[in-house]
Amino acid sequence: MKAHDEADRTSFSWRRVWGLFAVHRRRVVVVLSTVFVGAILGVINPLLIQQVFDRALFPPGDGGPDVALLVTLTAVMLVVTVVSGLLGIAQTVATNRLGQRVLRDLRDRVYSHLQSLSLSFFATARTGDLQSRIANDVGGVQTAVSSTLSSILSNAVTFVAAVVVMVALSVPLTLIALATVPLFVVATRKVGQRRRTLTGASQAAVADMNVLTQETLSVSGFTLARLFGRQRREIERFARANRELSDVAARQQVIGQAFFTVVGTFLGATPVIVYLVAGLLIDGGTAITAGTIVAFTTLQTRLFFPVARMLETFVELQSSQAMFERIFEYLDVEADITERPDPVVLTRGDGDGRLTFTNVSFAYPSGTQDDAPAALEDVSFAAKPGQLIAFVGPSGAGKSTILSLVPRLYDVTEGCIEIDGVDVRDLSFTSLADLIGLVTQESYLFADTLRANIAYSRPDASDADIEKAARAAAIHDRIMEFDDGYDTVVGERGFRLSGGERQRITIARVLLHDPRILVLDEATSALDSASERRIQQALGELLSGRTTLAVAHRLSTIQAADVIHVIEAGRIVESGTHDGLLAQDGAYRALYHEQFGDGQIETRCADGVVYNDGRCAPYTDSSGSARIRHLHRAHA
């Protein structure tokens, strides 16, 4: 991320921000129209004030006020005020609706783009930072998006109209008033630069705070801190992050207040200068009426307030730029796994699920592809429908990597992977999702009902289909023990369930999906021996006709595999059946003896487990249960 951060910042432009409004042209026209008319109405009343003083209150001659004219002028002023107010409401409504739609589109774009990225991006990104950019950064540019356009146009038109009228009233006074404008610009440029820096620091501090709270206040994070007695440490970490955020926020407030103090000083001092200059001009023989002076000082508000507003808008834009840069940084991350323009579409009814790896090599991204260490090298094998292909080997050998390449969680560096003769890179994403079901060793559940979690893979599934999948995964009976049955809410990440129960729910989810290719990455690692056997018996029926890949550390779970591939250092070093590999004096036999020592290993039979001496022990008898517990301890 940091590598192209600088490039992303230099690619920022306000033209790009303006592009966010392109799809809302009609609303933009409505906003601009109301803004323009409102700005013109804003300079009418100062002109009417001049007429009120010079012609209605103090008309030429010795007569008294012209009441009829006074009533007419004040009535017009009242109408203009009311119309301006109503137009201001309409402008606010139109501006905010436009701004909210632009923000909605921006949030959608960021979230959709993140969904298009590969697993390698999320392997290095922080969840709290992602949440901060979608929520806080996008929300932080709301002012710039919703009011900047209308503010710039409104104040620009008001400024120009005020200058024109002021020149008509008095050129010398206008020159005096305009002479102070450059001072505004100099002051606000410095304030804006400082405020922009502080805004970027503030958003980064908010992101760090979100990351910290997301990690430590989750169920898993809280439990870990409690178990290791690290609550005090986490409280101190939070206090440091909170202190940093508070310090940045305080400096932002000081900078903002300094800006408004400068603006207020100029707005208060300029009328005093006008009164002094007007008096000197009158004393020198220049004809300036009282109405002109009152109208001029009233117009000064229409002159300096728009200038102040535009300068404030400039400061807001400077501050928003830091947040836009953070947003565009994610939007500019290129997806390294993309769908072809005209992808091949396969459904469950097409083909039979043949899977082929041909000379596959892969390296996880690490800076550049060239310096990334190889995770797989020249891996080739084939898996036919109805076959169970197992992968064993030491941790870090590349077993899970092989499985992750099948659904294109990553793309191969060299070689190809084919399903029914079609390269997976040529298949549509929908086809891959339909054809492949993956059960990982991390069983992730949403904070929703058991029914919703199982049906996530097929939202239109009937209750009968959901129950059938749950029975196949040996979890139905446990679900029915809850008071709410399938409507039981499992809590964050399914924390109300045990590890084995969560894993069986995820297995049920994949079985409901009914894929042609089933990928099991330590799918039963969190199960006790009895639950594991029940699931294996259920899977034994469901695997018929499917292509199945499985990774397992417990060799007892993959003895019946049609082919076992032994992986070491990213390469297949041995392949064969369980009996065939045991007969060889190789890596598999070494793993076998490392796990079981005396060679006593359980296998499946009709009644329960078979020992290497040929005896079959049912699950239910006392001696069989004792053996199961003994073997479970050996596995652990």
Side-chain angles (χ1 to χ4, degrees), residues 123-237:
T124 56
R126 301 182 302 175
T127 303
D129 187 58
L130 296 176
Q131 294 172 340
S132 177
R133 299 206 189 196
I134 293 176
N136 298 325
D137 289 347
V138 174
V141 300
Q142 178 173 351
T143 300
V145 170
S146 62
S147 62
T148 296
L149 178 65
S150 60
S151 177
I152 291 176
L153 180 64
S154 175
N155 290 302
V157 174
T158 300
F159 177 81
V160 172
V163 170
V164 171
V165 175
M166 290 173 74
V167 168
L169 292 175
S170 173
V171 173
L173 293 180
T174 302
L175 294 176
I176 293 297
L178 292 177
T180 58
V181 172
L183 299 178
F184 276 109
V185 177
V186 173
T188 52
R189 281 184 65 87
K190 293 183 178 180
V191 172
Q193 292 171 353
R194 180 57 179 162
R195 192 169 178 181
R196 173 188 170 187
T197 301
L198 289 176
T199 299
S202 175
Q203 293 305 115
V206 169
D208 291 339
M209 179 77 78
N210 285 344
V211 170
L212 180 60
T213 54
Q214 189 268 337
E215 290 178 343
T216 58
L217 295 184
S218 65
V219 174
S220 300
F222 173 81
T223 303
L224 191 64
R226 174 64 62 86
L227 290 175
F228 287 96
R230 292 293 183 267
Q231 293 99 323
R232 175 55 55 187
R233 174 178 176 272
E234 300 305 340
I235 292 172
E236 292 173 354
R237 286 179 61 201

Side-chain angles (χ1 to χ4, degrees), residues 223-334:
T223 303
L224 191 64
R226 174 64 62 86
L227 290 175
F228 287 96
R230 292 293 183 267
Q231 293 99 323
R232 175 55 55 187
R233 174 178 176 272
E234 300 305 340
I235 292 172
E236 292 173 354
R237 286 179 61 201
F238 182 86
R240 285 195 299 270
N242 191 26
R243 187 163 51 250
E244 181 179 350
L245 179 59
S246 298
D247 291 344
V248 174
R251 281 181 282 167
Q252 279 185 297
Q253 292 294 328
V254 171
I255 291 294
Q257 187 58 45
F259 170 79
F260 288 110
T261 299
V262 171
V263 172
T265 300
F266 275 95
L267 287 176
T270 306
V272 176
I273 298 174
V274 169
Y275 295 145
L276 175 62
V277 173
L280 294 175
L281 290 175
I282 292 172
D283 185 63
T286 302
I288 299 179
T289 65
T292 298
I293 296 174
V294 174
F296 197 91
T297 53
T298 303
L299 279 171
Q300 278 190 311
T301 303
R302 296 291 176 179
L303 177 66
F304 288 102
F305 186 72
V307 170
R309 289 295 301 161
M310 283 191 288
L311 294 175
E312 181 185 357
T313 299
F314 176 76
V315 172
E316 292 292 342
L317 291 177
Q318 290 289 308
S319 301
S320 298
Q321 182 174 339
M323 285 176 277
F324 273 122
E325 287 171 347
R326 285 169 53 85
I327 295 169
F328 290 150
E329 181 183 344
Y330 274 171
L331 287 175
D332 289 340
V333 176
E334 295 185 4

Side-chain angles (χ1 to χ4, degrees), residues 515-552:
R516 296 293 302 159
I517 299 174
L518 191 59
V519 181
L520 307 174
D521 187 1
E522 288 289 345
T524 59
S525 61
L527 304 180
D528 57 75
S529 296
S531 296
E532 182 181 19
R533 292 188 185 93
R534 287 197 295 269
I535 290 180
Q536 286 178 339
Q537 286 180 329
L539 289 175
E541 300 174 3
L542 293 166
L543 298 185
S544 177
R546 301 178 196 271
T547 304
T548 304
L549 306 183
V551 164

Side-chain angles (χ1 to χ4, degrees), residues 592 596-602 611-613 615 627 630-631:
Y592 169 78
F596 301 108
D598 60 0
Q600 182 163 284
I601 182 168
E602 55 179 303
Y611 294 96
N612 59 351
D613 60 3
R615 291 181 295 111
R627 292 190 184 97
H630 171 72
L631 288 173

